[in-house]
Amino acid sequence: MANIVRKLWRFLQSKELMGVDKFGNCYFRQSKKMDGALTEKRWVEFKGDPDPTTVPVEWTSWLVGRRKVAPTAQELMELEAQRNLVKMKAAILEKEEKKRCFRSKSFQQEMQADLKPSKMSNFIQQVASMEGTKFQGESTFLDEVPNELNSNGQNDRIAEPKGREDAFQPGIWRPN
């Protein structure tokens, strides 16, 4: 029994507090010699419920041995300020992206409005005047289709498609 108490007492005396994070978690280390080599044990004691997600990256690196020296309070404050700066920049970029999407949608709506037939005929008139040709009023695709008469004197082209399978006759495409 005395042996157990002695070991417990040595354990408690050799435990060294290395730091406390912003969540109140305490980080400890214990160094001891084993077989002539110095070994070090590192651990965290959580404040409240043990939640590993509350351990900051810097302390996790120290716990697993990627860092030899525990993070200092100054270093932790600088890294926290850098994280906050990154969050602010991300929020600004997100707002700018929303503005870009809104502008893009409004531009697409304007373009769709600009391609209506009345505006398209104005555009064609402008292009025709630049090229030195004449444009006479609005014309539709049907006006430009030549009248192809068959032997009976009827137009083979119809506005709507007719028939089924072998007797199918396609219609004329009319843009809206």
Side-chain angles (χ1 to χ4, degrees):
M1 177 74 169
N3 195 18
I4 294 173
V5 173
R6 193 177 317 121
K7 285 183 181 182
L8 182 61
W9 180 255
R10 262 191 249 140
F11 172 76
L12 292 174
Q13 283 184 330
S14 65
K15 161 171 127 169
E16 181 182 356
L17 178 65
M18 296 305 294
V20 179
D21 66 14
K22 67 181 181 179
F23 301 107
N25 301 328
C26 297
Y27 299 89
F28 296 95
R29 80 173 177 182
Q30 179 183 28
S31 300
K32 60 182 171 180
K33 276 190 172 184
M34 285 187 97
D35 298 331
L38 187 64
T39 61
E40 185 175 71
K41 181 180 176 186
R42 299 174 179 182
W43 72 94
V44 60
E45 291 181 2
F46 294 99
K47 179 180 181 184
D49 293 333
D51 184 10
T53 60
T54 63
V55 177
V57 175
E58 298 78 27
W59 283 108
T60 303
S61 296
W62 179 77
L63 286 170
V64 298
R66 273 187 247 136
R67 292 179 63 135
K68 294 193 185 275
V69 180
T72 63
Q74 178 69 26
E75 180 184 2
L76 292 172
M77 288 189 326
E78 288 173 1
L79 290 170
E80 189 64 30
Q82 185 178 2
R83 283 188 195 107
N84 289 335
L85 182 64
V86 168
K87 286 178 186 177
M88 287 178 14
K89 286 182 179 180
I92 290 169
L93 287 174
E94 190 173 315
K95 285 181 182 179
E96 288 176 0
E97 182 64 25
K98 285 181 182 179
K99 285 180 184 177
R100 267 190 236 117
C101 288
F102 177 74
R103 287 181 191 145
S104 174
K105 286 179 184 177
S106 63
F107 179 72
Q108 287 175 353
Q109 290 171 351
E110 288 176 11
M111 289 301 293
Q112 289 174 354
D114 287 346
L115 294 178
K116 291 187 177 175
S118 61
K119 292 194 178 194
M120 187 59 89
S121 64
N122 291 340
F123 173 73
I124 293 172
Q125 286 175 348
Q126 289 174 354
V127 171
S129 66
M130 285 183 202
E131 293 179 356
T133 59
K134 290 186 177 180
F135 175 73
Q136 299 171 352
E138 292 187 30
S139 67
T140 63
F141 180 71
L142 292 177
D143 295 339
E144 297 170 8
V145 173
N147 289 332
E148 297 173 6
L149 302 176
N150 61 13
S151 59
N152 298 337
Q154 295 178 340
N155 188 346
D156 283 341
R157 293 198 162 198
I158 54 176
E160 297 296 323
K162 284 186 179 179
R164 293 186 177 189
E165 298 175 6
D166 295 335
F168 178 76
Q169 295 178 346
I172 298 173
W173 177 75
R174 294 183 196 177
N176 293 337

